[in-house]
Amino acid sequence: MSTLFTPFQQAKIRFRNRLGMSPMCMYTAVDGQANSWHLAHYVSRAQGGAGLILMEATAVSPEGRISPGDLGLYHDNQIEPLVNINQMIHEQDCISGVQLAHAGRKAGHAKPWQGNAALYAPDWPWNRLAPSAMPFDEGEPMPRAMTEEDIDRLKTAFVDATCRARQAGFRLLEIHAAHGYLFHEFLSPLSNLRTDSYGGSFENRIRFLLQVIHAVRAEWPAEFPLWVRISASDWTSGGWSLAESIALAKRLKIEGVDLIDVSSGGNVAGAQIPIAPGYQVAFSEAIRKEAEVATATVGLITDASQAERILSDGKADVVLLGRPLLQNPYLPQSWAKELEAELPLPKQYLRGW
Ligand SMILES: Cc1cc2nc3c(=O)[nH]c(=O)nc-3n(C[C@H](O)[C@H](O)[C@H](O)COP(=O)(O)O)c2cc1C
């Protein structure tokens, strides 16, 4: 019997299987609003059999977008276009979740197919915000070190976006604290040089994230799961480490976080990452065992038996797929066949298979 296709329960939410779509920016929103691209893209992956659609990094404020094409939940007019998408995903017996994000010093870049370069006024009229005035890399924009007022404003922005996510019909919320974006910048001693209560010690570096999680958990309904994506390592000596990730995971669990979505890297330009099949699974396994919290694993998981083994060996509770689901929305159907598991097709397609 396949573990990958065994239902999974968190809070009041039942996932039909343990194979989810990893958040992936589509760079296609206009003023943060979803459109027919997002409808077709996300709903087709739900039709393809994923148990969870985790929508792309969705900004809590305009200056927190990675690109001008990011989704946002910083304005009430961004709610309505998501309602229909979420309803259609849920009609497929698939759970729809959203990843709330602030890109920090890595905000404000052109879309990949427009060259990825940093944008400046008038195309990007906002200051980049970060724990410390330190650019991500040579030639990258200098961010402004956040004041306590900025920190308070963003806490409110995360809570307001959480409230909009609920109104939009999402049933799972993930906070993006990975990949060198704002929260990760606070966590890592390589990007956080603050001398106030938000910098220095481990306790101080995790403070901003914990405060936001505390406030978000109070707003997000108890029956819906709250997840946090972290980078388990900066892959750089002196940087954020697996040991700190385990300690953070224990604290997040106490705050009511239901699952740690374990990725890595993104905060140090030029870090040497030993990319290989399942290269982040060991981080998930360690966090799951040491912090006794549910985990998701992601990264170069490309075949059914590999995914199945990760779960049956107890190295994660959920497998997330990124690029494989860009290539083939019906991958879960193929994998279910391969693993001889039940995965009902949309009834409209029964005659095709
Ligand atoms: C086009 C693209 C966009 C991405 N956008 C995000 C994002 O919005 N949030 C995030 O946490 N990760 C993002 N990622 C990383 C993926 O979620 C995933 O962790 C990564 O691609 C590794 O998984 P894979 O090997 O299955 O693709 C993105 C990846 C791709 C390819």
Side-chain angles (χ1 to χ4, degrees):
M1 187 166 132
S2 160
T3 311
L4 188 60
F5 290 95
T6 301
F8 176 59
Q9 180 90 24
Q10 279 208 314
K12 291 267 162 58
I13 294 300
R14 175 196 164 276
F15 303 84
R16 64 175 153 176
N17 58 49
R18 293 150 188 261
L19 202 172
M21 182 180 184
S22 199
M24 282 179 287
C25 291
M26 287 289 105
Y27 311 100
T28 303
V30 177
D31 293 329
Q33 279 188 314
N35 53 50
S36 49
W37 173 267
H38 302 90
L39 180 108
H41 171 66
Y42 288 119
V43 174
S44 58
R45 272 71 193 173
Q47 291 167 338
L52 163 71
I53 300 295
L54 206 33
M55 259 182 224
E56 64 199 80
T58 297
V60 300
S61 59
E63 87 287 344
R65 291 173 296 168
I66 300 164
S67 84
D70 288 18
L71 286 180
L73 274 171
Y74 50 81
H75 196 288
D76 285 346
N77 70 11
Q78 292 155 343
I79 298 170
E80 199 274 332
L82 293 165
V83 170
N84 190 31
I85 301 177
N86 286 332
Q87 201 174 321
M88 291 187 74
I89 292 171
H90 290 142
E91 277 169 15
Q92 297 301 317
D93 193 21
C94 175
I95 300 300
S96 187
V98 65
Q99 185 186 55
L100 293 185
H102 190 294
R105 64 182 179 174
K106 289 172 87 176
H109 285 72
K111 302 173 185 190
W113 55 84
Q114 290 173 344
N116 246 336
L119 301 173
Y120 296 92
D123 301 318
W124 195 262
W126 300 277
N127 275 319
R128 272 93 181 164
L129 298 176
S132 304
M134 192 200 303
F136 171 64
D137 197 7
E138 221 172 284
E140 282 296 307
M142 177 63 81
R144 178 165 72 69
M146 284 169 69
T147 61
E148 294 228 359
E149 291 74 52
D150 292 322
I151 289 176
D152 287 343
R153 181 174 61 81
L154 284 189
K155 279 182 211 160
T156 305
F158 270 93
V159 172
D160 290 348
T162 298
C163 184
R164 293 189 186 103
R166 189 171 45 74
Q167 292 171 53
F170 289 106
R171 294 181 187 165
L172 184 148
L173 194 76
E174 177 170 278
I175 300 297
H176 196 350
H179 300 167
Y181 298 119
L182 188 64
F183 287 121
H184 187 177
E185 292 162 18
F186 270 84
L187 296 177
S188 172
L190 299 177
S191 43
N192 182 347
L193 306 182
R194 297 176 78 93
T195 51
D196 64 2
S197 62
Y198 291 97
S201 65
F202 169 77
E203 203 60 40
N204 284 356
R205 282 180 280 117
I206 66 170
R207 188 180 310 282
F208 179 37
L209 175 61
L210 285 190
Q211 287 176 342
V212 169
I213 294 297
H214 189 77
V216 163
R217 186 69 273 189
E219 180 66 34
W220 186 241
E223 64 260 36
F224 294 158
L226 176 63
W227 292 10
V228 177
R229 173 168 274 199
I230 63 167
S231 281
S233 170
D234 279 338
W235 295 107
T236 304
S237 95
W240 179 256
S241 64
L242 175 61
E244 287 185 314
S245 299
I246 292 167
L248 173 65
K250 289 180 181 168
R251 300 291 293 276
L252 291 171
K253 186 183 168 189
I254 293 168
E255 289 296 338
V257 168
D258 297 284
L259 179 144
I260 309 296
D261 173 3
V262 186
S263 187
S264 74
N267 197 38
V268 179
Q272 296 298 308
I273 304 181
I275 292 174
Y279 69 106
Q280 296 176 143
V281 173
F283 291 139
S284 162
E285 180 183 14
I287 291 170
R288 189 171 186 268
K289 297 218 162 101
E290 302 288 328
E292 297 178 354
V293 63
T295 60
T297 187
V298 66
L300 278 184
I301 298 166
T302 51
D303 67 69
S305 57
Q306 180 192 10
E308 180 65 27
R309 221 171 326 109
I310 290 168
L311 297 183
S312 59
D313 289 351
K315 295 178 176 173
D317 298 271
V318 172
V319 168
L320 296 176
L321 300 180
R323 290 161 293 180
L325 278 173
L326 294 186
Q327 291 168 20
N328 177 8
Y330 292 96
L331 199 66
Q333 285 293 348
S334 311
W335 284 14
K337 259 202 174 112
E338 205 178 317
L339 297 171
E340 297 177 355
E342 264 302 298
L343 179 57
L345 281 158
K347 56 187 176 306
Q348 295 88 338
Y349 292 165
L350 283 171
R351 291 176 67 189
W353 289 66

